[in-house]
Protein backbone atom coordinates (compact mmCIF):
# COMPACT_ATOMS: atom_id res chain seq x y z
CA UNK A 1 0.00 0.00 0.00
CA UNK A 2 1.13 3.57 -0.71
CA UNK A 3 1.93 5.54 2.45
CA UNK A 4 -1.07 7.57 3.57
CA UNK A 5 -1.02 11.29 2.80
CA UNK A 6 -1.88 13.12 6.01
CA UNK A 7 -3.02 16.74 6.05
CA UNK A 8 -3.68 18.63 9.26
CA UNK A 9 -5.25 22.07 9.66
CA UNK A 10 -5.64 24.50 12.55
CA UNK A 11 -9.27 25.12 11.63
CA UNK A 12 -11.99 23.03 10.02
CA UNK A 13 -12.57 25.83 7.52
CA UNK A 14 -9.06 25.30 6.15
CA UNK A 15 -9.64 21.56 6.10
CA UNK A 16 -12.79 22.09 4.02
CA UNK A 17 -10.91 24.28 1.53
CA UNK A 18 -8.13 21.74 1.09
CA UNK A 19 -10.62 18.87 0.80
CA UNK A 20 -12.51 20.82 -1.87
CA UNK A 21 -9.21 21.37 -3.75
CA UNK A 22 -8.61 17.61 -3.78
CA UNK A 23 -12.17 16.82 -4.87
CA UNK A 24 -11.96 19.38 -7.71
CA UNK A 25 -8.64 17.92 -8.88
CA UNK A 26 -9.82 14.29 -8.76
CA UNK A 27 -13.08 15.24 -10.43
CA UNK A 28 -11.27 16.90 -13.36
CA UNK A 29 -8.90 13.94 -13.75
CA UNK A 30 -11.71 11.38 -13.63
CA UNK A 31 -13.83 13.27 -16.17
CA UNK A 32 -10.86 13.61 -18.51
CA UNK A 33 -10.20 9.88 -18.32
CA UNK A 34 -13.66 8.36 -17.97
CA UNK A 35 -16.09 11.22 -18.61
CA UNK A 36 -17.65 10.85 -15.14
CA UNK A 37 -16.77 11.10 -11.47
CA UNK A 38 -17.84 8.26 -9.17
CA UNK A 39 -18.02 9.15 -5.50
CA UNK A 40 -19.03 7.37 -2.31
CA UNK A 41 -20.10 9.56 0.57
CA UNK A 42 -20.60 8.90 4.30
CA UNK A 43 -22.66 10.43 7.09
CA UNK A 44 -21.58 12.02 10.37
CA UNK A 45 -19.75 15.33 10.17
CA UNK A 46 -18.44 14.60 6.68
CA UNK A 47 -21.18 16.07 4.45
CA UNK A 48 -20.97 19.46 6.16
CA UNK A 49 -17.16 19.57 6.08
CA UNK A 50 -17.18 18.47 2.46
CA UNK A 51 -19.79 20.95 1.30
CA UNK A 52 -18.60 24.01 3.24
CA UNK A 53 -16.21 25.10 0.50
CA UNK A 54 -17.00 22.77 -2.39
CA UNK A 55 -20.52 24.11 -2.84
CA UNK A 56 -19.12 27.58 -3.54
CA UNK A 57 -16.77 26.45 -6.33
CA UNK A 58 -17.47 27.44 -9.91
CA UNK A 59 -17.02 25.28 -12.98
CA UNK A 60 -17.57 21.87 -11.45
CA UNK A 61 -19.25 19.49 -13.89
CA UNK A 62 -21.86 18.30 -11.40
CA UNK A 63 -23.75 16.51 -14.17
CA UNK A 64 -20.83 14.06 -14.44
CA UNK A 65 -21.09 12.98 -10.79
CA UNK A 66 -22.41 9.53 -9.83
CA UNK A 67 -22.92 9.41 -6.07
CA UNK A 68 -23.39 6.38 -3.82
CA UNK A 69 -23.54 6.04 -0.05
CA UNK A 70 -20.66 4.17 1.58
CA UNK A 71 -23.19 3.16 4.19
CA UNK A 72 -26.80 3.94 4.84
CA UNK A 73 -29.05 3.61 7.83
CA UNK A 74 -32.21 1.66 6.98
CA UNK A 75 -34.70 4.40 7.74
CA UNK A 76 -36.93 6.40 5.37
CA UNK A 77 -35.08 8.86 3.17
CA UNK A 78 -36.72 11.83 4.87
CA UNK A 79 -35.84 10.58 8.36
CA UNK A 80 -33.29 12.64 10.23
CA UNK A 81 -31.15 9.51 10.78
CA UNK A 82 -30.83 8.95 7.03
CA UNK A 83 -27.38 9.62 5.59
CA UNK A 84 -29.09 10.61 2.35
CA UNK A 85 -31.24 13.14 4.18
CA UNK A 86 -28.17 14.61 5.87
CA UNK A 87 -26.20 14.79 2.62
CA UNK A 88 -29.17 16.36 0.85
CA UNK A 89 -29.49 19.07 3.47
CA UNK A 90 -25.77 19.82 3.68
CA UNK A 91 -24.64 19.19 0.11
CA UNK A 92 -27.03 18.03 -2.62
CA UNK A 93 -29.48 20.91 -2.09
CA UNK A 94 -26.67 23.38 -2.82
CA UNK A 95 -25.20 21.86 -5.99
CA UNK A 96 -26.65 20.52 -9.22
CA UNK A 97 -25.91 16.80 -9.27
CA UNK A 98 -28.79 15.22 -11.24
CA UNK A 99 -31.11 13.48 -8.79
CA UNK A 100 -31.03 10.24 -10.78
CA UNK A 101 -27.24 10.15 -10.32
CA UNK A 102 -27.57 10.04 -6.53
CA UNK A 103 -28.16 6.38 -5.71
CA UNK A 104 -30.23 5.87 -2.58
CA UNK A 105 -31.52 2.71 -0.94
CA UNK A 106 -34.93 1.54 -2.15
CA UNK A 107 -36.93 2.79 0.82
CA UNK A 108 -40.11 1.08 -0.40
CA UNK A 109 -38.53 -2.17 0.87
CA UNK A 110 -38.18 -0.91 4.45
CA UNK A 111 -41.64 -1.81 5.81
CA UNK A 112 -41.14 -5.47 4.81
CA UNK A 113 -37.76 -5.46 6.56
CA UNK A 114 -39.25 -3.99 9.74
CA UNK A 115 -41.91 -6.66 9.66
CA UNK A 116 -39.40 -9.45 9.04
CA UNK A 117 -37.11 -8.18 11.80
CA UNK A 118 -39.94 -8.54 14.29
CA UNK A 119 -40.14 -12.27 13.42
CA UNK A 120 -36.76 -14.01 13.39
CA UNK A 121 -33.18 -13.52 12.22
CA UNK A 122 -33.51 -15.71 9.13
CA UNK A 123 -36.61 -13.90 7.83
CA UNK A 124 -34.90 -10.56 8.56
CA UNK A 125 -31.82 -11.54 6.57
CA UNK A 126 -33.90 -12.83 3.66
CA UNK A 127 -35.74 -9.53 3.49
CA UNK A 128 -32.52 -7.51 3.90
CA UNK A 129 -31.14 -9.39 0.87
CA UNK A 130 -33.68 -7.52 -1.29
CA UNK A 131 -32.24 -4.17 -0.19
CA UNK A 132 -28.71 -5.42 -0.77
CA UNK A 133 -29.58 -6.76 -4.23
CA UNK A 134 -31.22 -3.47 -5.13
CA UNK A 135 -28.16 -1.45 -4.11
CA UNK A 136 -25.78 -3.85 -5.84
CA UNK A 137 -27.84 -3.55 -9.04
CA UNK A 138 -27.44 0.22 -8.82
CA UNK A 139 -23.68 -0.22 -8.51
CA UNK A 140 -23.68 -2.63 -11.44
CA UNK A 141 -25.65 -0.14 -13.53
CA UNK A 142 -22.84 2.38 -13.12
CA UNK A 143 -19.72 0.24 -12.86
CA UNK A 144 -20.13 -3.10 -14.56
CA UNK A 145 -19.98 -1.95 -18.16
CA UNK A 146 -16.92 0.23 -17.70
CA UNK A 147 -14.93 -1.72 -15.14
CA UNK A 148 -15.60 -5.38 -15.79
CA UNK A 149 -13.85 -6.20 -12.57
CA UNK A 150 -14.62 -8.07 -9.41
CA UNK A 151 -15.37 -4.91 -7.46
CA UNK A 152 -16.50 -1.40 -8.37
CA UNK A 153 -13.59 1.03 -8.54
CA UNK A 154 -14.66 4.42 -7.23
CA UNK A 155 -12.80 7.58 -8.16
CA UNK A 156 -13.20 8.78 -4.59
CA UNK A 157 -14.61 7.43 -1.35
CA UNK A 158 -15.14 9.94 1.45
CA UNK A 159 -15.09 8.29 4.85
CA UNK A 160 -15.52 9.24 8.48
CA UNK A 161 -14.10 7.46 11.48
CA UNK A 162 -15.92 6.85 14.76
CA UNK A 163 -14.22 7.14 18.16
CA UNK A 164 -14.33 3.31 18.28
CA UNK A 165 -12.48 3.09 14.93
CA UNK A 166 -15.51 2.16 12.83
CA UNK A 167 -15.89 3.41 9.31
CA UNK A 168 -18.91 3.05 7.03
CA UNK A 169 -21.01 0.58 9.07
CA UNK A 170 -18.03 -1.69 9.66
CA UNK A 171 -17.59 -1.97 13.42
CA UNK A 172 -14.69 -3.36 15.49
CA UNK A 173 -14.59 -7.16 15.78
CA UNK A 174 -17.71 -7.58 13.64
CA UNK A 175 -17.83 -10.63 11.32
CA UNK A 176 -18.57 -8.28 8.38
CA UNK A 177 -14.89 -7.31 8.46
CA UNK A 178 -14.18 -10.73 6.95
CA UNK A 179 -16.51 -10.29 3.98
CA UNK A 180 -14.38 -10.53 0.87
CA UNK A 181 -16.83 -11.36 -1.93
CA UNK A 182 -19.96 -9.24 -1.57
CA UNK A 183 -20.05 -5.56 -2.57
CA UNK A 184 -22.73 -4.47 -0.13
CA UNK A 185 -23.62 -6.07 3.20
CA UNK A 186 -26.42 -5.86 5.74
CA UNK A 187 -25.82 -5.27 9.41
CA UNK A 188 -28.80 -5.80 11.72
CA UNK A 189 -26.95 -5.34 15.00
CA UNK A 190 -25.04 -2.08 14.60
CA UNK A 191 -23.66 -1.08 18.01
CA UNK A 192 -24.32 2.52 17.02
CA UNK A 193 -28.02 3.26 16.47
CA UNK A 194 -29.96 2.80 14.33
CA UNK A 195 -29.18 -0.96 14.35
CA UNK A 196 -30.16 -1.81 10.77
CA UNK A 197 -27.89 -0.52 8.01
CA UNK A 198 -26.22 -1.46 4.75
CA UNK A 199 -22.56 -0.84 4.11
CA UNK A 200 -19.89 -1.16 1.47
CA UNK A 201 -17.57 -4.03 2.28
CA UNK A 202 -13.82 -3.68 2.80
CA UNK A 203 -12.87 -4.97 -0.69
CA UNK A 204 -15.09 -2.36 -2.34
CA UNK A 205 -13.51 0.34 -0.20
CA UNK A 206 -9.99 -0.90 -0.82
CA UNK A 207 -10.40 -1.03 -4.61
CA UNK A 208 -11.10 2.71 -4.87
CA UNK A 209 -8.68 4.95 -6.77
CA UNK A 210 -8.75 7.44 -3.87
CA UNK A 211 -9.99 7.31 -0.31
CA UNK A 212 -10.20 10.37 1.92
CA UNK A 213 -10.85 10.05 5.63
CA UNK A 214 -12.06 13.18 7.39
CA UNK A 215 -11.83 13.37 11.19
CA UNK A 216 -11.98 16.36 13.51
CA UNK A 217 -12.10 17.11 17.21
CA UNK A 218 -10.24 15.91 20.26
CA UNK A 219 -12.59 12.92 20.64
CA UNK A 220 -10.67 11.28 17.77
CA UNK A 221 -7.14 11.65 19.21
CA UNK A 222 -6.75 8.20 20.74
CA UNK A 223 -8.35 6.27 17.95
CA UNK A 224 -6.26 8.07 15.31
CA UNK A 225 -3.13 7.23 17.24
CA UNK A 226 -4.13 3.58 17.05
CA UNK A 227 -5.22 3.64 13.38
CA UNK A 228 -2.38 5.71 11.93
CA UNK A 229 0.32 4.93 14.49
CA UNK A 230 -0.08 1.17 14.86
CA UNK A 231 0.47 -0.81 11.67
CA UNK A 232 -0.88 -3.95 13.36
CA UNK A 233 -4.22 -2.38 14.27
CA UNK A 234 -7.26 -4.43 13.33
CA UNK A 235 -9.72 -1.57 13.79
CA UNK A 236 -12.02 -1.23 10.75
CA UNK A 237 -10.54 2.14 9.72
CA UNK A 238 -7.04 0.65 9.93
CA UNK A 239 -8.13 -2.11 7.54
CA UNK A 240 -8.79 0.54 4.91
CA UNK A 241 -5.68 -0.09 2.84
CA UNK A 242 -6.19 0.68 -0.84
CA UNK A 243 -4.85 -2.04 -3.13
CA UNK A 244 -3.34 0.44 -5.59
CA UNK A 245 -5.15 3.70 -4.81
CA UNK A 246 -4.22 6.62 -2.61
CA UNK A 247 -5.26 7.12 0.99
CA UNK A 248 -5.66 10.65 2.35
CA UNK A 249 -6.37 11.83 5.88
CA UNK A 250 -7.86 15.27 6.47
CA UNK A 251 -7.57 16.11 10.17
CA UNK A 252 -7.84 19.19 12.28
CA UNK A 253 -5.08 19.91 14.81
CA UNK A 254 -7.35 18.91 17.68
CA UNK A 255 -7.75 15.40 16.26
CA UNK A 256 -4.10 15.07 15.23
CA UNK A 257 -2.52 16.08 18.56
CA UNK A 258 -1.31 12.59 19.52
CA UNK A 259 0.14 11.71 16.12
CA UNK A 260 3.82 11.90 15.36
CA UNK A 261 3.90 13.43 11.90
CA UNK A 262 6.92 14.29 9.81
CA UNK A 263 6.81 17.90 8.64
O1 LIG B 1 -23.65 5.98 9.85
C1 LIG B 1 -23.09 6.48 10.82
O2 LIG B 1 -23.29 6.16 11.98
C2 LIG B 1 -22.10 7.59 10.55
O3 LIG B 1 -22.03 7.82 9.19
C3 LIG B 1 -20.74 7.24 11.11
O4 LIG B 1 -20.21 6.10 10.51
C4 LIG B 1 -19.80 8.42 11.02
O5 LIG B 1 -19.28 8.55 9.73
C5 LIG B 1 -18.66 8.27 11.99
O6 LIG B 1 -19.16 7.93 13.26
C6 LIG B 1 -17.87 9.54 12.09
O7 LIG B 1 -18.74 10.54 12.50
P1 LIG B 1 -18.25 12.02 12.78
O8 LIG B 1 -17.52 12.45 11.57
O9 LIG B 1 -19.52 12.78 13.00
O10 LIG B 1 -17.41 11.94 14.00
Amino acid sequence: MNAPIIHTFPKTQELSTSLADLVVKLCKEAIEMRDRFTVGISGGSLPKLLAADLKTRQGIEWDKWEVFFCDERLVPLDHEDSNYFLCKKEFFDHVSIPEEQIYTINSSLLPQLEDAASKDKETEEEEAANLIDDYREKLISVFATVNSVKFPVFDLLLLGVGPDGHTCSLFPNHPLLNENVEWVAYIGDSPKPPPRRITFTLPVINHAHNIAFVATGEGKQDVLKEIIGNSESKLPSALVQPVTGKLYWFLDDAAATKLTLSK
Side-chain angles (χ1 to χ4, degrees):
M1 180 182 105
N2 297 317
I5 300 158
I6 303 175
H7 299 295
T8 63
F9 306 90
K11 296 200 177 111
T12 54
Q13 201 182 337
E14 292 155 3
L15 182 158
S16 290
T17 302
S18 177
L19 182 62
D21 289 343
L22 176 72
V23 173
V24 168
K25 172 177 164 282
L26 296 178
C27 175
K28 271 196 197 138
E29 287 172 2
I31 292 170
E32 266 167 36
M33 275 189 285
R34 291 179 286 276
D35 200 32
R36 65 180 190 180
F37 185 44
T38 53
V39 183
I41 194 164
S42 304
S45 58
L46 184 114
K48 192 173 188 172
L49 290 165
L50 169 70
D53 195 282
L54 191 61
K55 68 185 179 190
T56 69
R57 302 287 178 108
Q58 302 298 310
I60 296 181
E61 292 186 78
W62 296 111
D63 60 325
K64 300 282 167 86
W65 285 50
E66 306 273 1
V67 181
F68 287 84
F69 294 85
C70 298
D71 70 326
E72 182 56 290
R73 290 118 170 246
L74 297 180
V75 294
L77 296 172
D78 58 358
H79 191 286
E80 61 174 25
D81 280 347
S82 158
N83 282 344
Y84 165 76
F85 184 72
L86 175 68
C87 291
K88 177 170 155 45
K89 193 172 62 172
E90 298 292 350
F91 183 38
F92 306 146
D93 281 350
H94 310 278
V95 298
S96 49
I97 302 170
E99 216 173 297
E100 65 278 13
Q101 287 164 222
I102 298 172
Y103 299 88
T104 64
I105 53 162
N106 180 350
S107 58
S108 73
L109 299 172
L110 294 176
Q112 291 97 299
L113 177 65
E114 283 297 311
D115 192 42
S118 67
K119 293 179 182 148
D120 58 78
K121 196 97 204 119
E122 204 182 320
T123 321
E124 176 185 344
E125 287 188 353
E126 275 166 21
E127 205 50 63
N130 294 328
L131 273 143
I132 298 293
D133 288 350
D134 173 80
Y135 212 62
R136 193 186 46 227
E137 285 305 318
K138 286 170 174 153
L139 284 163
I140 288 172
S141 75
V142 170
F143 287 95
T145 51
V146 178
N147 313 5
S148 294
V149 290
K150 239 170 137 188
F151 296 103
V153 180
F154 276 88
D155 293 311
L156 174 63
L157 293 180
L158 292 154
L159 304 180
V161 46
D164 59 351
H166 84 264
T167 190
C168 301
S169 288
L170 298 168
F171 290 88
N173 303 314
H174 196 279
L176 272 188
L177 294 175
N178 301 319
E179 177 56 63
N180 56 18
V181 177
E182 297 298 334
W183 293 9
V184 184
Y186 171 66
I187 171 166
D189 57 357
S190 164
K192 181 179 175 187
R196 288 190 275 283
R197 296 146 170 258
I198 62 168
T199 182
F200 283 172
T201 57
L202 275 172
V204 168
I205 299 169
N206 284 333
H207 276 78
H209 289 302
N210 298 279
I211 300 171
F213 270 112
V214 178
T216 59
E218 57 186 35
K220 302 286 165 70
Q221 286 173 359
D222 291 326
V223 82
L224 290 177
K225 192 167 176 223
E226 162 78 11
I227 296 163
I228 299 174
N230 172 8
S231 58
E232 303 296 308
S233 173
K234 295 287 176 242
L235 287 176
S237 300
L239 300 177
V240 172
Q241 298 174 358
V243 181
T244 56
K246 286 188 181 154
L247 177 61
Y248 298 87
W249 284 91
F250 286 81
L251 308 172
D252 69 352
D253 286 350
T257 305
K258 294 190 180 169
L259 300 177
T260 316
L261 300 172
S262 45
K263 292 280 166 201

